[in-house]
Amino acid sequence: MPGIIIFGVLLVVVAATLFAGVKTVPQGQEWIVERLGKYHSTLKPGLNFIIPYIDVVAYRVSTKGDVLSVGAQEVITKDNAVIITNAIAFIKVTDPTRAVYEIQNYEYAIQNLVMTSLRAIIGQMDLNSALSEREHIKAKLQDNISKEVAAWGIYVQSVEIQDIKPSESMQRAMEQQASADRFKQATILEAEGKREATIREAEGRLEAAKREAEAQIRLAEASAKAIGDISEAIQDKDLPAVFLLGDRYINTLQKIATSPNAKLVILPSDLPAAIRGLMGKG
């Protein structure tokens, strides 16, 4: 009986040992094996064998794409504006050995690297550029991080800026500035409108004066022609002048009669005699 018990124990130990030497690595992972505390090999997906008690699976590294979220942080721009931004990085381990031996915690390291690089990039930009040039920030950030993490056996697939916005105090200041700019623009437009109206009114008066002057010139030319025609027809030098003065006299009396301030109009009984009197030929 003791021999059977010992045999059974040995059988169990051998079976456990054989079982411990067989490792099945799932797809999307690679396992790092250390032998006596030193790196020995990397187990690929599938069935693998190791020496029990001597070889130890020290790390199980995922080779799938991973997502690292970088929390929101305050960043100061070149013109001393405070903005809040956060990002997200898509990474993939390409060399598990370097990922575990070149850096203590690559995920934590990449998160801090993104934060510091983001501060440095935005710190070289003014507020308007930082808010509008998101694609430029993303491209520069990915380029900087890719160079740094290449030595860790990690590939940066993409870095996205999730949010970038001014702080609450900056938002209030920007709203006040926008309101002031709108008021200024409205004042400028109103002033320009008044100036344009004044210019158009002056141009209108000038054009009216020009037309009035042209009308007076044409009226004088017509009167002169009429006087010449009458003088030629009747061979009398005084009668045309009497006709012209009489015409203007009648027009003047008509304007006086239609004026709202006119009270009383007295007409001479002998209009031709009155006109001759004006000419000094009573």
Side-chain angles (χ1 to χ4, degrees):
M1 290 296 295
I4 296 176
I5 293 174
I6 293 173
F7 178 76
V9 171
L10 291 175
L11 185 61
V12 171
V13 171
V14 171
T17 300
L18 292 175
F19 180 78
V22 179
K23 300 296 181 182
T24 303
V25 180
Q27 186 68 36
Q29 289 188 5
E30 292 187 14
W31 292 0
I32 305 299
V33 176
E34 292 182 350
R35 176 171 293 178
L36 301 177
K38 183 180 179 180
Y39 170 76
H40 175 64
S41 63
T42 301
L43 303 183
K44 302 296 182 180
L47 186 62
N48 296 270
F49 299 95
I50 63 174
I51 300 176
Y53 312 119
I54 297 178
D55 294 340
V56 178
V57 177
Y59 301 97
R60 291 174 170 84
V61 182
S62 174
T63 55
K64 300 176 183 177
D66 197 4
V67 180
L68 299 180
S69 179
V70 180
Q73 60 176 329
E74 290 187 350
V75 182
I76 300 177
T77 62
K78 183 172 64 175
D79 50 355
N80 296 323
V82 180
I83 61 176
I84 299 175
T85 180
N86 60 345
I88 186 170
F90 299 89
I91 65 171
K92 181 179 177 63
V93 177
T94 57
D95 189 341
T97 304
R98 297 166 66 185
V100 297
Y101 290 115
E102 295 292 337
I103 188 72
Q104 181 69 28
N105 185 336
Y106 66 84
E107 292 185 354
Y108 179 74
I110 291 175
Q111 288 174 335
N112 282 272
L113 186 60
V114 171
M115 293 174 65
T116 55
S117 297
L118 197 56
R119 290 195 194 102
I121 294 171
I122 296 180
Q124 298 175 354
M125 307 172 67
D126 56 28
L127 177 60
N128 292 333
S129 299
L131 295 177
S132 60
E133 298 180 8
R134 180 174 297 193
E135 291 297 323
H136 171 72
I137 297 174
K138 183 182 74 172
K140 197 167 183 179
L141 182 61
Q142 181 174 351
D143 182 62
N144 291 350
I145 297 174
S146 298
K147 294 177 180 178
E148 294 290 338
V149 303
W152 302 342
I154 297 172
Y155 170 66
V156 179
Q157 296 173 314
S158 177
V159 179
E160 299 292 336
I161 305 298
Q162 285 187 304
D163 194 15
I164 181 169
K165 62 182 180 180
S167 61
E168 293 183 0
S169 60
M170 282 301 304
Q171 287 181 356
R172 290 193 297 268
M174 291 174 65
E175 289 174 358
Q176 293 175 357
Q177 182 181 0
S179 177
D181 289 342
R182 287 193 294 269
F183 179 76
K184 177 181 177 181
Q185 187 67 20
T187 303
I188 293 173
L189 292 176
E190 182 180 1
E192 290 180 351
K194 290 182 179 180
R195 185 185 66 178
E196 185 69 20
T198 303
I199 292 173
R200 290 185 179 274
E201 183 179 357
E203 290 177 349
R205 291 198 300 269
L206 178 61
E207 184 66 22
K210 289 181 179 180
R211 292 179 181 270
E212 180 67 20
E214 291 177 357
Q216 292 293 338
I217 292 172
R218 292 180 180 178
L219 180 61
E221 292 175 351
S223 298
K225 186 175 184 306
I227 292 173
D229 293 342
I230 294 173
S231 299
E232 184 180 355
I234 64 177
Q235 298 298 321
D236 191 342
K237 297 181 179 180
D238 294 336
L239 186 58
V242 172
F243 170 76
L244 179 60
L245 290 174
D247 180 64
R248 292 186 178 180
Y249 185 68
I250 293 173
N251 290 334
T252 301
L253 291 177
Q254 183 179 4
K255 292 180 180 179
I256 294 175
T258 57
S259 172
N261 297 324
K263 302 301 182 180
L264 179 64
V265 178
I266 300 175
L267 298 176
S269 58
D270 190 356
L271 183 60
I275 294 173
R276 289 191 180 92
L278 293 174
M279 299 175 60
K281 298 180 178 181

